[in-house]
């Protein structure tokens, strides 16, 4: 009976990945960053000291661009820079010249209402110098990825008149690829590898369209029509493996909706029903907030009707695309957010700016207790692949009993393994998450795997 209870406990823990309490605490005192709304964030270690620094734009109501260095514990100090002031816009820290430090792409609209799209090279200590480039000017509509697999970071850009690939020469100078299949729209761009082939596909939204473009591996794109997306202009498109099945899914925010599309692994997406709050005029973000291996969710924005129906909502991902609301962190619209570990404690924190309460920092105070801390005998199992489609290969040191359970705790299969190398056929299992329990003379080992 004791062993049965232990197995049941392991199944419960494995189903949730970890035992955790997901919780955020309003920082007190608040870090010294500007109170703003309507702007954007970027984070990265710009000076190579091992902590995450912060780039921030917004309205105060004047427009500002700020750069802050982190002391490693979440205390930020403003540093001088030569960036234009901008409210709305986009910013990415990426190594654009291949020298190992983080450079900056920054687009927006300055105080004279002039649009810009600029590249800045980092000297390695957080000092930035603009690199001359002949990019189209715009506020938003860019993404960065190595689209042609040559080892450097390229730009994907869409504007109302121009859309295409701008190839990096390796030194942060970009030139148009030409012959673009993209339809120019004043909108947004997102990068996603839709079929796990290692190249970077593109999704673009604007002018009441959402279009998916598939990469042939060398930066040549074709329109993918395998999925019909709604005729909306997306405010945001977030990419994450929401169900831990090994492929990337989509959360599309637009037309006062948050729509979750699940990838079948070949780049065909299907919308599924969720309990995620519908919002607009904000920003969403996926991140593993409780270190349990799956992607949790932050929703920032207004519900239909506007004030007072605005809430920043944290959802815990319980697997199988089940999101459980755990906390409301005030409420913002005309807003943006960023998630990263800013105080160096190993947990991802949240910074939100918006029109109501301006900027607020929330420290992640979640309690995370790993399986190994709860059950001393639990160890990893040497098996592959994961995710798996038809077979799982085991490499064992001793004779063992292998049992497979679903996340409801139902026993599906038991095998006695008498060899070091063993293969189990899982082709008859439905797609989803499963639990492996190895019993080596009473010593229980556990693991999760995904069936594709």
């Amino acid at each position: 009976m004791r062993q049965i209870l232990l197995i049941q406990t392991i199944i419960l823990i494995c189903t949730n990945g970890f035992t955790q309490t997901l919780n955020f605490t309003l920082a007190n005192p608040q870090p010294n960053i500007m109170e703003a709304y309507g702007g954007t964030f970027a984070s990265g270690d710009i000076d190579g000291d091992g902590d995450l620094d912060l780039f921030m734009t917004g309205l105060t109501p004047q427009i500002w661009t700020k750069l802050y260095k982190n002391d490693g514990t979440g205390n930020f100090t403003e540093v001088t820079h030569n960036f234009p002031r901008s409210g709305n816009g986009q910013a990415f820290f990426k190594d654009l010249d291949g020298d190992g430090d983080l450079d900056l792409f920054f687009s927006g609209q300055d105080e004279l209402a002039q649009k810009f799209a600029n590249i800045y090279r980092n000297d390695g200590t957080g000092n930035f110098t603009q690199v001359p480039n002949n990019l189209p000017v715009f506020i938003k509509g860019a993404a960065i990825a190595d689209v042609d697999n040559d080892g450097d970071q390229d730009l994907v850009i869409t504007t109302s008149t121009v859309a295409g690939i701008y190839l990096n020469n390796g030194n942060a100078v970009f030139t148009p690829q030409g012959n673009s299949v993209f339809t120019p729209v004043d909108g947004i761009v997102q990068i996603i590898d839709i079929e796990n082939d290692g190249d970077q596909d593109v999704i673009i939204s604007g002018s009441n369209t959402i279009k998916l473009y598939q990469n042939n591996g060398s930066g040549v794109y074709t329109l993918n029509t395998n999925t019909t997306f709604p005729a909306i202009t997306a405010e945001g498109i977030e990419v994450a493996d929401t169900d831990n099945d090994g492929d990337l899914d989509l959360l599309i925010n637009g037309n006062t909706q948050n729509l979750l599309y699940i990838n079948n692994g070949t780049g065909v997406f299907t919308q599924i029903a969720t309990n995620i709050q519908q919002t607009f005029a904000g920003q969403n973000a996926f991140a593993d907030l409780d270190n349990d291996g799956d992607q949790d969710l932050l929703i920032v924005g207004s519900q239909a009707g506007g004030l007072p129906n605005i809430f920043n909502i944290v959802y815990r991902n319980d697997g199988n695309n089940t999101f459980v609301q755990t906390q409301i962190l005030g409420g913002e619209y005309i807003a943006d957010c960023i998630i990263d570990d800013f105080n160096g404690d190993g947990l991802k924190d949240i910074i939100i700016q918006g029109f109501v309460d301006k900027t607020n920092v929330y420290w992640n105070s979640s309690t995370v207790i790993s399986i190994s801390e709860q059950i001393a005998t639990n160890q990893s199992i040497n098996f592959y692949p994961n995710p798996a489609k038809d077979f799982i290969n085991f490499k064992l040191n001793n004779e063992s009993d292998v049992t497979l359970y679903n996340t409801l705790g139902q026993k599906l299969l038991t095998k006695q393994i008498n060899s070091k190398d063993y293969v189990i056929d899982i082709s008859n299992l439905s797609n989803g998450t499963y639990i492996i329990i190895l019993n080596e003379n009473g010593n229980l080992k556990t693991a999760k795997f995904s069936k594709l």
Side-chain angles (χ1 to χ4, degrees), residues 67-87:
L67 181 65
Y68 301 93
K69 287 189 177 181
N70 190 349
D71 71 351
T73 65
N75 293 313
F76 293 96
T77 301
E78 184 178 354
V79 296
T80 58
H81 60 78
N82 60 344
F83 310 131
R85 293 183 183 183
S86 180

Side-chain angles (χ1 to χ4, degrees), residues 24 287-289 291 339-341 345-350 362 364:
F24 288 84
D288 184 1
L289 299 175
N291 289 346
I339 301 177
D340 232 325
D341 180 11
D345 64 354
L347 294 170
K348 289 182 169 61
D349 310 299
I350 292 173
Y362 298 89
N364 191 335

Side-chain angles (χ1 to χ4, degrees), residues 138-181:
F138 56 93
I139 299 175
K140 288 187 176 181
I144 299 177
D146 181 7
V147 303
D148 54 0
N149 284 317
D150 66 349
D152 53 41
Q153 299 294 309
D154 308 300
L155 278 169
V156 185
I157 292 174
T158 185
T159 75
S160 59
T161 58
V162 177
I165 304 296
Y166 287 74
L167 296 175
N168 190 345
N169 71 350
N171 199 33
V173 176
F174 297 84
T175 56
Q177 180 189 54
N179 301 319
S180 174
V181 70

